[in-house]
């Protein structure tokens, strides 16, 4: 039991450190090649911050624990929307851009709604469902690129990172992501079986919280520096990426049969997105009291999961 807990912690550290190194190396290479900030943000950085979720979900699915894979995504998005935005708003009220309210928030809500509809009719994510999710992701990327092109877009300035160092960090980052994901899934699955807790609950809580740590750190730091747009954009981009790309790519590789994810979990996914969208309409700001409400809802949901798992 103790050894499995050590595996979980070691896996989290390896996955988070690996995602950081992968992002650093990839951004360094892209900037050396004078790739625009837009392309870096929408591809490399977006993948880097969601790489823990992608690796854990893919490894979980390949190991036959689909509930852990889907629970990781559902739990991460609920964690992102309620706890990360809640804590970030408590640190500093978040100003929401009009573009975010009109495009990004509705799309995040749409992605959550599509997922719950697909799971409601089939109780799984089939390869056809996966193609639908990947199609939604392509539409989101198109809208984001088109919207960005309407504004100012500068080429990224080259940094001092040598090419060899960028390549090294990409390789090291990928190795840590794959290795850490395997260790993490093995440890989490063993603990779940020892305690008699379902893979779904473990995915919705421990795995989701562990893989969402990069988003939490990024959003809080951005808010403290007065960059609330980055904070909310980080959460919304991650949520769409998690559902549309990660579940889409994972479901395309191996269909995900869902049994332990309840309708309450899926409802929380849609409800959290809708509540964030509603709060964003109030003067295009998420005030501290609204952040407190989001955080309290998450704590209540987490308490319900823990009580029902015992």
């Amino acid at each position: 039991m103790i050894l499995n807990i050590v595996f979980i912690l070691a896996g989290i550290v390896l996955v988070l450190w690996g995602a950081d190194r992968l992002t650093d190396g990839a951004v360094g290479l892209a900037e050396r090649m004078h790739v625009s900030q837009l392309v870096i943000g929408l591809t490399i950085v977006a993948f880097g911050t969601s790489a823990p979720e992608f690796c854990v979900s893919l490894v979980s699915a390949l190991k036959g624990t689909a509930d852990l894979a889907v629970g990781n995504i559902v739990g991460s998005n609920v964690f992102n929307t309620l706890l990360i935005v809640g804590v970030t708003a408590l640190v500093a009220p978040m100003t929401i851009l009009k573009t975010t309210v009109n495009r990004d928030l509705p799309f995040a809500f749409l992605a959550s709604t599509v997922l719950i509809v697909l799971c409601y009719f089939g109780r799984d994510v089939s390869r056809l469902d996966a193609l639908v999710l990947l199609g939604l992701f392509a539409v989101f990327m198109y809208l984001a690129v088109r919207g960005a092109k309407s504004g100012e877009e500068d080429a990224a300035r080259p940094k001092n990172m040598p090419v060899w160092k960028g390549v090294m960090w990409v390789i090291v980052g990928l190795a840590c992501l794959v290795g850490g994901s395997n260790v993490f899934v093995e440890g989490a699955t063993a603990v779940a079986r020892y305690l008699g807790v379902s893979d779904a609950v473990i995915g919705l809580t421990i795995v989701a919280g562990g893989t969402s740590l990069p988003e939490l750190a990024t959003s809080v730091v951005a808010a403290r520096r007065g960059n609330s747009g980055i904070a909310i954009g980080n959460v919304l981009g991650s949520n769409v990426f998690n559902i549309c790309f990660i579940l889409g790519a994972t479901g395309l590789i191996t269909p995900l049969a869902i049994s332990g994810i309840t309708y309450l979990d899926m409802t929380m996914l849609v409800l959290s997105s809708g509540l964030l969208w509603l709060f964003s309409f109030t003067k295009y700001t998420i005030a501290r009291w609204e952040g407190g409400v989001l955080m309290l809802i998450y704590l209540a949901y987490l308490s319900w999961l823990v009580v029902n798992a015992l």
Side-chain angles (χ1 to χ4, degrees):
M1 179 65 175
I2 296 177
L3 183 61
N4 287 321
I5 293 176
V6 171
F7 283 162
I8 291 175
L9 296 176
I12 290 175
V13 172
L14 276 174
V15 166
L16 297 181
W17 190 82
D20 198 30
R21 298 288 77 77
L22 172 63
T23 303
D24 286 345
V27 169
L29 289 174
E31 289 178 335
R32 276 288 181 180
M33 298 169 64
H34 300 278
V35 177
S36 70
Q37 292 283 359
L38 168 64
V39 174
I40 293 174
L42 291 177
T43 55
I44 298 170
V45 176
F47 177 78
T49 56
S50 290
E53 286 91 341
F54 178 72
C55 289
V56 169
S57 292
L58 180 59
V59 171
S60 299
L62 293 176
K63 288 181 178 291
T65 53
D67 279 343
L68 193 63
V70 179
N72 173 39
I73 297 303
V74 174
S76 292
N77 280 21
V78 174
F79 185 96
N80 289 349
T81 306
L82 296 179
L83 189 64
I84 292 182
V85 174
V87 170
T88 304
L90 285 175
V91 172
M94 303 174 70
T95 301
I96 311 298
L97 298 176
K98 190 174 182 180
T99 303
T100 300
V101 174
N102 294 336
R103 183 192 67 197
D104 300 334
L105 277 164
F107 207 97
F109 180 78
L110 173 65
S112 301
T113 304
V114 168
L115 178 60
I116 195 174
V117 169
L118 293 177
C119 293
Y120 176 79
F121 283 108
R123 291 304 297 168
D124 67 352
V125 178
S126 65
R127 285 192 168 92
L128 180 60
D129 296 335
L131 288 174
V132 171
L133 294 175
L134 289 173
L136 277 177
F137 181 70
V139 172
F140 178 75
M141 291 293 290
Y142 169 75
L143 293 175
V145 170
R146 188 183 67 174
K149 284 184 176 180
S150 63
E152 185 178 356
E153 178 183 348
D154 296 324
R157 291 174 294 178
K159 302 294 183 180
N160 296 322
M161 180 181 291
V163 174
W164 68 266
K165 190 174 182 180
V167 173
M168 179 191 72
W169 281 134
V170 168
I171 295 173
V172 170
L174 285 172
C176 288
L177 282 171
V178 174
S181 298
N182 273 284
V183 172
F184 186 89
V185 172
E186 290 287 349
T189 303
V191 170
R193 290 171 180 167
Y194 179 83
L195 297 176
V197 178
S198 68
D199 289 336
V201 173
I202 292 294
L204 289 165
T205 55
I206 298 174
V207 179
T211 56
S212 292
L213 288 178
E215 286 87 352
L216 176 60
T218 300
S219 295
V220 171
V221 170
R224 290 185 61 185
R225 294 178 179 176
N227 299 320
S228 58
I230 294 177
I232 193 69
N234 173 47
V235 167
L236 294 175
S238 176
N239 283 1
V240 174
F241 199 93
N242 287 348
I243 293 177
C244 296
F245 180 77
I246 295 179
L247 279 185
T250 304
L252 197 61
I253 294 172
T254 173
L256 304 170
I258 305 168
S259 59
I261 306 299
T262 67
Y263 289 118
L264 176 63
D265 301 323
M266 290 297 188
T267 301
M268 283 299 300
L269 177 66
V270 177
L271 179 64
S272 60
S273 296
L275 193 58
L276 179 59
W277 191 9
L278 176 64
F279 282 169
S280 299
F281 276 109
T282 56
K283 300 180 181 179
Y284 292 100
T285 302
I286 298 178
R288 283 191 169 91
W289 74 266
E290 292 171 325
V293 170
L294 293 174
M295 189 173 66
L296 288 175
I297 292 175
Y298 180 78
L299 293 177
Y301 171 62
L302 182 63
S303 300
W304 183 90
L305 287 175
V306 172
V307 169
N308 282 270
L310 298 177

